[in-house]
Amino acid sequence: MASADLIRSCIDSIRQISDQLADSILYLDAGCLEAFHFIGAFPVLLELGVHAVCSLENASPLDMTTSWNSMFVGPTRKVVIITSRLLSDAHRYILRCLGTNRTVLRCIIFTSISEIAHSAYIDSPLGPDAFNEYESLLIQDYEELLKKSGKRGLHFHQEREAEASENDGWADLASGASYQSVEASSKGDIYADDLVNVTGKQESKKLLVSVHHFPMILCPLSPRVFVLPSEGTVAEACLSNDSDDSVSPGLPSISTGLPSDGEDVPPGATLTANFLYHLAAKMDLKMEIFSLGDTSRLIGKMLMDMSSLYDVGRRNKRSAGLLLIDRTLDLLTPCCHGDSFLDRLFCSLPRRERISSSLPAKSSPAPKLGTHIKVQRAPLDIRIPFGTIFSTDEHATNSTQLSEGIGAFISGWNAGAIVNESSDHADKIITSALDNGYSLLSGSFQSNCAGANYLETLLDRRAKDGAILIKKWLLETLQHENINVNLKGRPGLLSASEIHAMLKRLAQNQMSLIQNKGIIQLVLAAVLALSEPHNSHWDAFVNAEKILSITSLDTSQSLSSQIRDFINTSTSVRSNEQDRRVRPSQNLLSFQDALLLSMIGYILAGESFPTSASSGPFSWEEEHSLKEAIVDAVTENPSSAKLQFLHGLCNELEAKLNEQEDSAKPPKVDAFDDQWGSWDDEEADDQNEQAYGDMQLKLELRDRVDQLFKFFNKLSSLKRRNLTLREGLVASSKYGSDADTRKGLLYKLLTTLLAKYDVPGLEYHSSAVGRFLKSGFGRFGLGQAKPSFGDQSVLLVFVVGGINNLEIREAMEAVAEYGRPDIELIVGGTTLLTPSDMFDLLLGSSSYI
């Protein structure tokens, strides 16, 4: 039987809907675009006869004129929409897409959310027959839209003819105009003559709509590592309800081991269970389910119930072990800056802005009271600075064939803006457009680019090893292109200027650029991640985390003193930057970095000093000094403290700081007037009001800081409140305690399970048949033996809440050390986490605090 391959399974799923995709315009939402990019699905779509792939959120009537296949002529009558969202959430985009392209006679919609998940999701208005219900609702809304615009159809048609005579219908595309409303988009319908006849009456054309389930929407970093799309409903769904045990809506609640009543199940748990069930079905896997953590236990129970109901009679599946783990069992590993090459890339490079959050939502209703929060995940699509391999001089002179080609194309496309301008201004327009042209090539690298699976090879590489490997790939590519490079016998790393010179030669023409885009992107990403100030900032974090780890083995007083030093040091960054005589300290940590280190310190304190105080790991005096340090840091630099727990106070704090700076300036000498006798009384009243306002502001700030430290103490209680962390794993001493040898929980857990030791708190979810045999026939010796996770040939590990690259590498190490080459390990998570993502989940915009 073939080995498990996520990328192959995704592509096979796309080929299974080839009949629907043929001869159509394909619209993908932000989540599907991200997933298809990692899958490498676009060549497959071209092969299957798709005319063009367009963005659902930015649908335009000009999409119908685009065609990858030159054999297709004329307007397309079929539209296929694939969405990673609930149908109710995607409805306004779908309706707007149909409203802008009214020549469409057939609309086929695929959603990654099943009918069962639609009916189970608390915020979804659709019932058990969700797909048929939505088909009727969409046709009804579309017909109402046609009726509203039909009365103005002739007027719009005449208006469009007048506009077309002026700019040939292409001005909107050249200027980048977007169609944000159905009414506005109807004005830009370039096929309006298909909708309106000469008498102005609307033709009656029945739109055929069908809705189907397409579950394989995921982002495979490699054939056996995946995460969910950042802007899909499953990744955005809340994983914990706001309660005393919750730390973030994007993370499971703190696991206590207590039984759940099952009445208030987080929507993220329901959607995750449905996704994993259909993923296993598509990959022909029969799951033996194990869970660790309260939220994972809920997901495991739902998975087992679905398997008992829908898997009757299916016997020809491979047996696999599924291990579900709550992210909150180990918050320390994703918060720390480990030695992982890909972690450095994702932390150093900018990300694409979220499409859904950047668009206005005038038609969407305001959130109702009691609805769940949607987690704003950072997109996985990193922005690689592709234009840096060409200098500014090359932009002006167009010295390379690539620059000439892109410049000529942009000049012809935007000719109307250049004809009437002076030569200097025209050159500026071309240069700006050329920069935008390079930005089109700056998307993130895909997992199977040009047949070379770069990401899979880099997943288990440390920072230095990854840089050396990329250098090797670059030299091999140059050799393959017959480009001679003289390295003068230097075996070490290359300088940035030398790398840029190589890349310029590699990208000297369009064909070479397209063929070698993957390695060029990786090289540019590596240069940026290992350059300043990113390299110094990362190293400063690593050193600070080592200091905290070592200090946590001493006393609570030493650890609290070290955390306070980090907070106080962060305030010096602003003073150094303000003093122009002092060179800015790029490697110093900011106040936000100090808060992340404070969370790490509290988690370490909870592990080392679990019983030092009733309310937290530090004494009252030690915690009071930390609070005062944060109050002082916020007061001195409120602009750097625009955090969720200070929402509404930053502007007042900045105003107060500006008043203090103004009062420190020498007063102006003015001429006396006749009212000099009333100055003393007015000044006293102003001082009293100011003192009262300052006191109120300071009290409010202290209340916010108190709430922050209550959250810190909650993080420190993770080990004390969970059975697995409290009792520990077998032979845990072999994993080390210092920062160099410390291993994450996933490595320890896999090592223990593969060695077939018991794990406290690990629950096995047996099927209904298994429970019957265990309870009914067990007395006759016919009971079903509990399977072992380590006995399975396929191991699927899914971290509910997200996973980071360091854990992926450690999981691979654990399986490799076990010595069974026949084991196929698949690692997945809700999202790919970096330390900055963890900060956003715990203290940023996606937090409860």
Side-chain angles (χ1 to χ4, degrees):
M1 189 171 290
S3 60
D5 190 323
L6 292 166
I7 296 178
R8 185 179 64 237
S9 298
C10 292
I11 292 179
D12 289 345
S13 297
I14 295 174
R15 292 187 182 278
Q16 290 173 6
I17 60 172
S18 58
D19 292 340
Q20 291 90 336
L21 292 174
D23 196 19
S24 70
I25 294 290
L26 176 61
Y27 283 90
L28 304 176
D29 67 358
C32 291
L33 277 172
E34 188 176 74
F36 277 39
H37 186 84
F38 278 91
I39 294 170
F42 298 109
V44 179
L45 296 174
L46 176 62
E47 176 189 337
L48 297 179
V50 173
H51 287 203
V53 178
C54 307
S55 170
L56 178 63
E57 291 88 350
N58 296 300
S60 164
L62 296 176
D63 295 338
M64 308 304 289
T65 66
T66 308
S67 179
W68 292 357
N69 294 290
S70 58
M71 65 183 67
F72 300 110
V73 181
T76 305
R77 303 297 180 178
K78 181 172 67 172
V79 161
V80 177
I81 298 173
I82 305 181
T83 176
S84 58
R85 297 184 175 277
L86 291 167
L87 292 171
S88 55
D89 291 344
H91 177 66
R92 65 189 180 104
Y93 299 120
I94 296 174
L95 187 61
R96 189 174 65 193
C97 174
L98 296 176
T100 55
N101 305 305
R102 304 196 185 177
T103 61
V104 173
L105 299 179
R106 186 182 180 190
C107 176
I108 304 173
I109 302 172
F110 292 94
T111 174
S112 63
I113 313 298
S114 65
E115 278 190 301
I116 299 174
H118 270 89
S119 61
Y121 193 75
I122 189 172
D123 293 335
S124 175
L126 301 175
D129 193 16
F131 290 173
N132 289 330
E133 292 178 21
Y134 184 72
E135 290 172 5
S136 303
L137 291 172
L138 180 60
I139 293 175
Q140 179 181 350
D141 287 351
Y142 181 69
E143 290 177 350
E144 291 180 0
L145 173 65
L146 293 181
K147 290 179 182 179
K148 290 180 180 179
S149 59
K151 298 178 181 179
R152 302 189 298 265
L154 181 60
H155 171 70
F156 288 157
H157 180 59
Q158 295 172 346
E159 188 178 274
R160 188 59 190 173
E161 285 182 342
E163 294 177 359
S165 63
E166 297 177 2
N167 53 37
D168 296 332
W170 296 98
D172 291 335
L173 182 60
S175 62
S178 60
Y179 294 82
Q180 301 296 340
S181 65
V182 174
E183 289 79 5
S185 64
S186 61
K187 295 182 181 180
D189 196 342
I190 61 174
Y191 293 118
D193 54 340
D194 288 344
L195 292 173
V196 183
N197 57 23
V198 293
T199 61
K201 295 181 180 179
Q202 183 181 345
E203 295 181 2
S204 58
K205 295 183 178 180
K206 185 68 174 180
L207 177 68
L208 299 179
V209 177
S210 60
V211 182
H212 310 276
H213 182 213
F214 187 81
M216 297 300 287
I217 300 297
L218 50 91
C219 299
L221 304 180
S222 78
R224 295 184 184 176
V225 178
F226 74 95
V227 293
L228 304 178
S230 58
E231 295 189 63
T233 297
V234 184
E236 290 182 345
C238 184
L239 287 171
S240 62
N241 302 310
D242 193 1
S243 64
D244 294 337
D245 295 330
S246 302
V247 294
S248 170
L251 295 171
S253 58
I254 297 176
S255 298
T256 61
L258 300 176
S260 174
D261 53 9
E263 294 181 357
D264 197 8
V265 178
T270 304
L271 295 177
T272 301
N274 277 269
F275 165 77
L276 290 174
Y277 170 78
H278 291 286
L279 173 65
K282 281 291 183 179
M283 299 183 70
D284 291 328
L285 299 177
K286 180 183 178 182
M287 295 295 187
E288 299 290 350
I289 305 170
F290 301 82
S291 64
L292 189 64
D294 294 350
T295 304
S296 294
R297 184 169 62 249
L298 287 174
I299 296 174
K301 289 181 178 179
M302 287 186 282
L303 273 172
M304 203 68 260
D305 292 340
M306 285 188 287
S307 299
S308 301
L309 288 174
Y310 307 119
D311 285 353
V312 179
R314 298 183 180 181
R315 304 297 181 186
N316 56 343
K317 291 187 174 184
R318 298 179 66 187
S319 179
L322 172 62
L323 177 60
L324 301 167
I325 308 172
D326 278 7
R327 175 73 275 169
T328 45
L329 292 175
D330 181 15
L331 294 178
L332 186 62
T333 301
C335 284
C336 292
H337 294 65
D339 191 6
S340 170
F341 180 76
L342 286 183
D343 269 346
R344 286 206 175 200
L345 287 191
F346 279 95
C347 284
S348 303
L349 294 170
R351 310 281 188 96
R352 170 184 57 80
E353 293 185 2
R354 290 176 56 88
I355 295 179
S356 57
S357 61
S358 62
L359 294 176
K362 296 180 180 180
S363 60
S364 59
K368 299 178 181 179
L369 185 64
T371 56
H372 293 88
I373 300 174
K374 290 187 177 180
V375 185
Q376 302 294 305
R377 306 279 187 187
L380 299 177
D381 189 5
I382 58 178
R383 301 283 92 187
I384 297 173
F386 213 89
T388 57
I389 61 176
F390 302 101
S391 63
T392 305
D393 295 337
E394 288 172 342
H395 285 176
T397 60
N398 291 331
S399 60
T400 64
Q401 296 181 16
L402 177 64
S403 300
E404 292 174 356
I406 296 179
F409 172 75
I410 297 296
S411 301
W413 186 263
N414 200 21
I418 298 177
V419 171
N420 298 325
E421 301 290 346
S422 63
S423 59
D424 293 340
H425 189 64
D427 290 340
K428 292 181 181 179
I429 294 177
I430 295 176
T431 300
S432 176
L434 187 59
D435 292 334
N436 294 332
Y438 289 133
S439 69
L440 297 176
L441 303 173
S442 65
S444 67
F445 37 80
Q446 58 195 45
S447 57
N448 58 344
C449 179
N453 208 323
Y454 295 128
L455 285 186
E456 182 182 16
T457 309
L458 292 173
L459 278 173
D460 60 345
R461 298 287 176 167
R462 301 178 185 271
K464 185 176 180 180
D465 296 338
I468 294 175
L469 183 61
I470 289 180
K471 173 192 171 184
K472 176 186 175 183
W473 288 338
L474 175 60
L475 295 178
E476 290 176 351
T477 305
L478 291 170
Q479 184 179 5
H480 182 267
E481 295 292 333
N482 296 323
I483 299 175
N484 296 323
V485 178
N486 184 15
L487 296 179
K488 300 178 182 179
R490 294 174 52 191
L493 296 177
L494 303 175
S495 65
S497 59
E498 291 174 327
I499 292 176
H500 282 175
M502 294 180 185
L503 294 180
K504 289 176 184 178
R505 299 185 64 184
L506 191 59
Q508 59 187 345
N509 57 70
Q510 290 94 327
M511 184 60 66
S512 176
L513 173 65
I514 297 302
Q515 289 178 347
N516 302 300
K517 177 184 175 183
I519 186 62
I520 293 175
Q521 286 179 322
L522 276 178
V523 172
L524 289 174
V527 170
L528 181 62
L530 299 177
S531 64
E532 300 298 337
H534 303 291
N535 190 52
S536 297
H537 186 253
W538 186 277
D539 291 341
F541 253 120
V542 171
N543 294 330
E545 289 160 3
K546 287 182 179 179
I547 293 173
L548 289 177
S549 180
I550 296 173
T551 310
S552 65
L553 303 177
D554 194 2
T555 62
S556 62
Q557 184 177 2
S558 300
L559 184 57
S560 64
S561 176
Q562 189 61 60
I563 296 174
R564 185 173 64 253
D565 289 344
F566 286 138
I567 297 173
N568 293 332
T569 305
S570 67
T571 60
S572 65
V573 177
R574 181 173 182 263
S575 60
N576 284 340
E577 290 178 351
Q578 286 182 337
D579 190 353
R580 298 182 181 272
R581 295 171 299 176
V582 181
R583 185 173 178 268
S585 301
Q586 299 286 357
N587 60 335
L588 289 180
L589 300 172
S590 66
F591 178 67
Q592 178 173 319
D593 299 333
L595 288 179
L596 179 58
L597 291 172
S598 300
M599 289 190 289
I600 294 174
Y602 262 78
I603 296 174
L604 289 171
E607 295 179 357
S608 302
F609 323 115
T611 59
S612 59
S614 58
S615 59
F618 298 115
S619 64
W620 183 90
E621 292 81 5
E622 294 166 353
E623 188 162 288
H624 179 71
S625 64
L626 292 174
K627 291 180 180 179
E628 290 299 316
I630 287 186
V631 169
D632 294 340
V634 173
T635 304
E636 292 178 13
N637 191 8
S639 61
S640 65
K642 294 183 177 181
L643 305 169
Q644 185 71 13
F645 78 97
L646 293 175
H647 181 69
L649 283 183
C650 291
N651 293 334
E652 298 181 26
L653 291 170
E654 288 184 1
K656 174 61 180 174
L657 182 63
N658 294 332
E659 290 179 4
Q660 292 177 353
E661 293 176 352
D662 293 339
S663 62
K665 298 178 181 179
K668 296 181 180 179
V669 180
D670 297 330
F672 290 98
D673 55 22
D674 296 335
Q675 298 180 354
W676 64 271
S678 62
W679 286 359
D680 294 337
D681 296 336
E682 292 178 358
E683 185 176 355
D685 293 340
D686 292 341
Q687 289 178 352
N688 291 335
E689 293 180 1
Q690 184 177 0
Y692 179 77
D694 294 346
M695 181 61 66
Q696 289 293 106
L697 182 60
K698 198 168 186 178
L699 289 174
E700 179 64 23
L701 177 59
R702 291 186 182 277
D703 289 340
R704 301 287 184 92
V705 173
D706 286 340
Q707 293 298 321
L708 174 66
F709 276 84
K710 287 181 180 179
F711 178 74
F712 285 172
N713 287 319
K714 184 189 294 186
L715 296 179
S716 69
S717 68
L718 294 174
K719 181 176 181 179
R720 174 171 49 85
R721 301 174 66 177
N722 182 260
L723 177 64
T724 305
L725 302 178
R726 189 169 62 247
E727 295 188 4
L729 300 173
V730 175
S732 60
S733 59
K734 64 174 284 191
Y735 309 124
S737 56
D738 58 81
D740 292 326
T741 58
R742 178 188 292 273
K743 295 290 187 179
L745 177 65
L746 183 56
Y747 174 89
K748 300 176 184 178
L749 190 59
L750 284 176
T751 304
T752 304
L753 289 173
L754 291 174
K756 299 183 180 180
Y757 289 110
D758 291 334
V759 175
L762 183 69
E763 183 170 337
Y764 169 67
H765 300 271
S766 60
S767 63
V769 176
R771 291 193 298 268
F772 175 72
L773 288 174
K774 183 177 179 180
S775 60
F777 291 98
R779 68 190 69 179
F780 302 108
L782 299 176
Q784 187 181 39
K786 177 182 176 180
S788 172
F789 180 77
D791 290 337
Q792 312 299 321
S793 59
V794 179
L795 304 180
L796 173 56
V797 179
F798 188 86
V799 183
V800 182
I803 194 169
N804 76 336
N805 286 293
L806 182 62
E807 290 177 309
I808 296 172
R809 191 188 79 202
E810 290 181 351
M812 294 177 178
E813 291 176 359
V815 174
E817 292 171 0
Y818 185 54
R820 272 187 56 188
D822 61 313
I823 292 181
E824 300 178 27
L825 176 66
I826 302 175
V827 182
T830 306
T831 188
L832 189 66
L833 292 174
T834 63
S836 57
D837 295 330
M838 289 299 298
F839 182 88
D840 188 62
L841 287 172
L842 297 174
L843 291 181
S845 58
S846 298
S847 66
Y848 277 132
I849 187 172

